[in-house]
Amino acid sequence: MAAGPKYEYLWADGHKIKKPIKVSAPRYIALLFDWVDEQTSDENIFPVDEDGKFPNNFQAVVKTILNAFSIIWAHILLTFRKGEGPGR
């Protein structure tokens, strides 16, 4: 799975991997899903109590998550439009 030779996927989560590293598209997706799971499971970011307060950077975190998902969506769209998807 790849969007083509002119595309490269760089991953950095800011904690475990601070300097962006080049990864394959499947690895990027796996790392992203793991990172999103960590973010959405963090009760300091997504409070579960009625009285829980959202952090000041809540919108920035959600924006980062949605932006990353849009990159994956674009990758999948490009792959299938080129006829490289499963069953082709």
Side-chain angles (χ1 to χ4, degrees):
M1 176 166 84
K6 64 181 178 179
Y7 297 96
E8 69 178 9
Y9 295 88
L10 300 175
W11 179 259
D13 61 14
H15 294 96
K16 296 175 189 171
I17 302 172
K18 296 184 189 236
K19 183 178 177 186
I21 59 171
K22 187 176 179 178
V23 295
S24 66
R27 183 73 181 134
Y28 180 90
I29 291 170
L31 288 166
L32 174 68
F33 279 23
D34 288 344
W35 178 80
V36 169
D37 184 52
E38 288 174 18
Q39 300 305 301
T40 57
S41 298
D42 185 344
E43 293 182 14
N44 293 314
I45 299 172
F46 290 87
V48 294
D49 296 328
E50 281 185 37
D51 299 331
K53 303 276 190 253
F54 290 95
N56 291 336
N57 69 337
F58 179 75
Q59 287 184 332
V61 171
V62 172
K63 184 177 179 181
T64 300
I65 291 169
L66 293 176
N67 183 55
F69 279 141
S70 70
I71 291 169
I72 290 177
W73 175 248
H75 168 77
I76 292 169
L77 182 63
L78 285 171
T79 299
F80 279 88
R81 287 185 82 182
K82 292 179 183 177
E84 299 172 8
R88 298 189 184 228

